[in-house]
Amino acid sequence: MLTKIPKQFYFFLAAIFILNLIQSSFTQLIFDEAYYWYYSQDMAWGYFDHPPMVALLVKISSFFFNGELGVRFMSCVLSAINIILLWLMIDNPKKNDYIKHFFVLVFSMTLLNAYGFFTLPDTPLLFFTSCFLLTYKYFIKKPTAGLAILLGIFMAALMYSKYHAVLVIFFVLLSNLKLTTNKYAWLAVIIALCCYAPHFYWLYENDFVSIKYHLFERPNGAYRFEKYTLGFLVNLVAIFGLTFPFIYKALFKTKGNDLFSKALIYLTYGVLIFFFVSSFNRRVQTQWIIIVCIPLVVIAFNYMLQNKQALTWIYRLGLINTVLILYLRMGLAHQPLLFNFHYESHGNKEWAKAIEEEVGNIPVIFENSYRNAPMYSFYTDATPTFSLNNFMYRKNQYSIDGSEEQIRGKDVAYISQYDKNPTFTYEKEDGGLYKGKYIANFQSYRKLSCIIEDTPITLNSEKSIDLKIYNPYPEAIDLNKLKFAVTYMDNYKTPVETLKMTPKPKQTTVTTLKQQDTTNFIFQLPKTKKENIGYFRVVISENGLLYGLNGQAIPVN
């Protein structure tokens, strides 16, 4: 199959692959990449925010290279193979005469271009979407056990990449409901479930923390048309740049005359409609809709081969896109090219080294920053680092792994935006300010869990509420070291007011929280005059730190 691809195709492919390798080597990490690099330092079947495929890519990359390329190498490899897979999905015999047009189409898609070197969960999601679709293309022609097994493996790989990969599987199935009566299709489902079983077990062992976060705990706000729905519509343009009118025209003009074309159309419309509806509830991030780039490459290129006007205009506008993208890519590595616009790939190594020079080799704790903690660790080789999350932030991987244990009892540098009397400061290139101080014998207990089972609860009620506090630590914790409060939140779980309260142990002799045990308390909600209160959370401050995220958000009447 691969031998039928013309040499010219491989020349273009090699040029893009080399460009991505160079870009990867000379562009500093963005914050999400540093966070996924942190994942890879402790390989597991799952992580707080995402399944583990992105961590696996980083781990494999690190076997070949150090530094930034040691994070991104596999992304470069997968993106090159992905282009081959896209080419193989196109059956038109005229395609070999328009190789340069194909590469302009692919390279001019902004996010598809960016994920050619960035290592993010969408990188494997794009690759395995192509693997899944190409396998499905052959499966519907002649189902076999071998193709079914391959299809099942790719479905599992999709889900190991990102949870909303379920949309790919669902909309392809919706395009061909006869699959529900196909024994080989059921074999594919069984294989996928077996391959995905380790992640199911990880979710169970970790109280389904990832599912709870994505469904119930992600930050949100009141609906604003310009931020949510209009923002989604702008994203539809942004992912294709100047070629967008012709890309969407190709979609509108394409008919599902065969099962594969029908699958591509269902997948594209399905994802777009799903996230359009979602835009009335929350802000849709640009990368969430990037899946549509895969079917739309095939749809648009087939349309170009049939329509000379589309061929000409997509090629011309795609070249303009390409020039702009190349300029922006150079700016990612070298800030002055972006007219002093500061992007998150600029200056991270510099601020990390500056803080290291100040604090030496002691552990560094960043308050409310799962972004800064791994970035500092990556560019200084410093371990351990830690993100201490409080009630004004959100939980993340640092909330569930063993990183807190590595810094407890040690002398640390503590960096917080809330510190009014810092010992040292460092101003970043973008104007941000790091403020730090030194803490001896640091002690935190962020994994203390506050459990309330009777919900919902009436606001400003005199009723006593049962509270269970679970101490997962291997030592008892003196209650005198702890302060308790209730954080009231609005309907979007944004903190509004935090009021102190003192829970009473049900057993009057209790002075500690026993190790790896649950202690029972009762308390009353402190009264508040604030309006629009939708939730409350019981929170704990230990040793003078800001209150943590110890309890779930509980609805109030």
Side-chain angles (χ1 to χ4, degrees):
M1 189 185 301
L2 296 183
T3 56
K4 297 180 181 179
I5 299 177
K7 289 183 180 179
Q8 184 188 19
F9 182 95
Y10 289 113
F11 291 147
F12 280 110
L13 187 67
I16 290 177
F17 181 64
I18 293 170
L19 173 65
N20 286 337
L21 289 178
I22 295 171
Q23 182 87 56
S24 298
S25 301
F26 292 97
T27 304
Q28 293 185 28
L29 295 189
I30 62 175
F31 286 107
D32 280 353
E33 287 183 296
Y35 187 43
Y36 303 135
W37 168 83
Y38 174 69
Y39 280 8
S40 73
Q41 303 308 293
D42 183 17
M43 291 300 296
W45 285 105
Y47 298 92
F48 182 90
D49 316 74
H50 293 291
M53 186 64 73
V54 67
L56 179 61
L57 292 187
V58 177
K59 178 60 72 173
I60 296 173
S61 298
S62 69
F63 293 148
F64 296 98
F65 299 98
N66 297 317
E68 290 88 355
L69 191 56
V71 173
R72 296 171 173 151
F73 176 67
M74 284 305 298
S75 294
C76 300
V77 173
L78 292 191
S79 68
I81 299 174
N82 193 29
I83 293 174
I84 298 175
L85 297 175
L86 288 167
W87 182 256
L88 295 176
M89 285 187 227
I90 299 164
D91 289 332
N92 195 309
K94 297 190 295 183
K95 69 179 184 179
N96 287 346
D97 297 327
Y98 297 96
I99 291 174
K100 66 180 181 180
H101 295 77
F102 172 79
F103 275 93
V104 167
L105 171 66
V106 172
F107 196 82
S108 68
M109 293 187 178
T110 53
L111 284 188
L112 198 59
N113 190 305
Y115 290 119
F117 59 95
F118 282 141
T119 297
L120 302 163
D122 302 277
T123 307
L125 176 66
L126 291 169
F127 173 74
F128 288 114
T129 296
S130 293
C131 291
F132 172 72
L133 289 174
L134 183 60
T135 306
Y136 176 73
K137 182 174 185 286
Y138 290 101
F139 180 84
I140 54 182
K141 290 180 180 178
K142 186 179 180 180
T144 65
L147 285 174
I149 292 171
L150 201 57
L151 205 59
I153 291 171
F154 288 142
M155 283 194 286
L158 273 168
M159 293 302 299
Y160 272 119
S161 300
K162 203 168 184 180
Y163 290 121
H164 79 239
V166 70
L167 297 176
V168 177
I169 300 168
F170 174 76
F171 288 119
V172 170
L173 171 62
L174 192 63
S175 74
N176 184 11
L177 291 177
K178 289 184 179 180
L179 289 172
T180 57
T181 62
N182 186 311
K183 64 180 181 180
Y184 293 114
W186 281 106
L187 174 60
V189 171
I190 293 170
I191 295 296
L193 291 174
C194 289
C195 292
Y196 206 58
H199 184 64
F200 281 133
Y201 184 73
W202 181 90
L203 286 170
Y204 171 76
E205 286 284 288
N206 288 272
D207 196 29
F208 297 95
V209 62
S210 304
I211 305 301
K212 289 179 178 178
Y213 168 69
H214 286 292
L215 291 182
F216 307 114
E217 297 178 8
R218 286 189 71 96
N220 202 4
Y223 175 76
R224 291 166 51 194
F225 173 78
E226 68 279 8
K227 182 178 179 181
Y228 286 32
T229 306
L230 182 59
F232 166 77
L233 298 175
V234 171
N235 287 339
L236 294 184
V237 175
I239 60 174
F240 299 119
L242 297 175
T243 62
F244 82 93
F246 296 95
I247 299 292
Y248 289 116
K249 183 179 180 181
L251 174 63
F252 298 148
K253 293 289 186 179
T254 300
K255 306 297 181 183
N257 297 324
D258 59 84
L259 284 175
F260 186 64
S261 296
K262 189 177 178 183
L264 298 179
I265 292 169
Y266 268 61
L267 174 55
T268 305
Y269 279 117
V271 170
L272 295 180
I273 292 171
F274 177 86
F275 284 113
F276 173 70
V277 174
S278 298
S279 74
F280 291 95
N281 175 258
R282 65 177 63 248
R283 185 175 68 87
V284 175
Q285 297 180 18
T286 311
Q287 68 270 21
W288 291 359
I289 57 175
I290 194 178
I291 298 175
V292 302
C293 290
I294 299 301
L296 282 177
V297 166
V298 181
I299 290 171
F301 192 63
N302 276 324
Y303 183 71
M304 290 166 66
L305 296 177
Q306 299 166 4
N307 188 298
K308 290 295 183 181
Q309 183 184 42
L311 182 75
T312 301
W313 279 104
I314 290 178
Y315 182 69
R316 289 174 178 174
L317 295 173
L319 285 175
I320 298 174
N321 273 357
T322 297
V323 172
L324 293 173
I325 287 171
L326 287 172
Y327 178 77
L328 291 173
R329 284 181 58 155
M330 288 189 291
L332 291 177
H334 190 57
Q335 182 177 351
L337 290 175
L338 290 180
F339 303 103
N340 292 321
F341 175 78
H342 184 90
Y343 186 64
E344 58 182 279
S345 62
H346 301 141
N348 293 311
K349 184 184 297 185
E350 289 73 19
W351 69 252
K353 291 293 185 181
I355 291 176
E356 183 185 37
E357 290 178 5
E358 166 65 39
V359 306
N361 60 359
I362 65 173
V364 179
I365 297 173
F366 293 86
E367 188 169 67
N368 288 355
S369 188
Y370 70 90
R371 294 156 57 91
N372 287 329
M375 189 71 79
Y376 178 82
S377 185
F378 179 83
Y379 280 116
T380 64
D381 293 323
T383 52
T385 56
F386 183 57
S387 172
L388 188 87
N389 309 309
N390 65 40
F391 71 102
M392 290 181 282
Y393 200 49
R394 73 165 180 88
K395 290 185 177 181
N396 48 60
Q397 182 61 24
Y398 289 93
S399 304
I400 65 172
D401 63 17
S403 54
E404 185 184 42
E405 293 299 322
Q406 298 176 15
I407 52 91
R408 183 179 292 107
K410 296 184 178 180
D411 297 342
V412 303
Y414 188 85
I415 296 177
S416 168
Q417 60 179 313
Y418 308 109
D419 197 330
K420 296 180 180 180
N421 297 295
T423 305
F424 62 90
T425 60
Y426 175 75
E427 186 172 357
K428 295 170 60 179
E429 292 180 8
D430 63 353
L433 187 66
Y434 289 114
K435 298 186 288 186
K437 64 182 178 183
Y438 298 99
I439 299 178
N441 187 25
F442 181 81
Q443 298 289 338
S444 70
Y445 302 108
R446 291 286 131 139
K447 291 184 179 180
L448 289 176
S449 181
C450 297
I451 304 164
I452 296 175
E453 296 178 345
D454 296 329
T455 59
I457 291 170
T458 303
L459 192 65
N460 292 331
S461 170
E462 301 286 346
K463 179 183 176 182
S464 293
I465 302 170
D466 288 333
L467 170 66
K468 297 179 180 179
I469 301 179
Y470 175 66
N471 173 15
Y473 297 99
E475 70 271 2
I477 301 173
D478 189 343
L479 285 172
N480 290 326
K481 295 181 179 180
L482 308 178
K483 294 180 180 179
F484 296 84
V486 166
T487 291
Y488 288 113
M489 297 169 283
D490 62 19
N491 290 321
Y492 303 100
K493 298 178 182 176
T494 301
V496 173
E497 184 179 31
T498 299
L499 300 175
K500 294 180 181 179
M501 65 89 173
T502 304
K504 296 180 180 179
K506 286 192 173 181
Q507 295 178 345
T508 56
T509 57
V510 170
T511 59
T512 63
L513 299 177
K514 292 183 179 180
Q515 63 270 27
Q516 297 176 337
D517 199 0
T518 299
T519 306
N520 296 307
F521 296 81
I522 59 171
F523 76 101
Q524 289 183 334
L525 281 180
K527 294 185 178 181
T528 177
K529 294 181 180 180
K530 298 290 185 179
E531 298 180 350
N532 300 319
I533 301 297
Y535 297 86
F536 77 91
R537 187 198 308 272
V538 177
V539 294
I540 300 175
S541 166
E542 65 275 44
N543 301 306
L545 298 171
L546 286 176
Y547 294 102
L549 289 159
N550 309 91
Q552 296 294 323
I554 306 295
V556 294
N557 292 327

